[in-house]
Amino acid sequence: MNAYQPQQRINELQQLRHRLLSRREQRGAATATIDMELNVVRSELQALYALQRDQKPANQRIPVTHGLKMA
């Protein structure tokens, strides 16, 4: 993972994800192998998104709320 260019890596991984999803829909595709690759891509994307969230200044972060708040 290239920590200096996270947005570029995110774009690459998103393109790879789309290619894998397209391959998965083809007849005779090795879905188990593709699913494993998709899991790796998904994990790396989640890590990069978390890294970006952590790097935002506190005043630009969207607060995470768990559950619904009742008025």
Side-chain angles (χ1 to χ4, degrees), residues 36-49:
M36 285 190 290
E37 291 180 57
L38 282 167
N39 283 333
V40 172
V41 169
R42 190 176 301 118
S43 295
E44 189 173 345
L45 279 169
Q46 289 173 344
L48 286 167
Y49 293 146

Side-chain angles (χ1 to χ4, degrees), residues 20-63:
L20 288 169
L21 288 170
S22 294
R23 264 188 25 211
R24 190 175 186 274
E25 293 176 4
Q26 294 173 355
R27 185 176 183 163
T31 54
T33 302
I34 294 170
D35 285 347
M36 285 190 290
E37 291 180 57
L38 282 167
N39 283 333
V40 172
V41 169
R42 190 176 301 118
S43 295
E44 189 173 345
L45 279 169
Q46 289 173 344
L48 286 167
Y49 293 146
L51 179 67
Q52 281 187 331
R53 268 194 315 272
D54 292 343
Q55 290 177 348
K56 280 188 177 181
N59 63 348
Q60 291 183 359
R61 291 184 189 157
I62 298 172

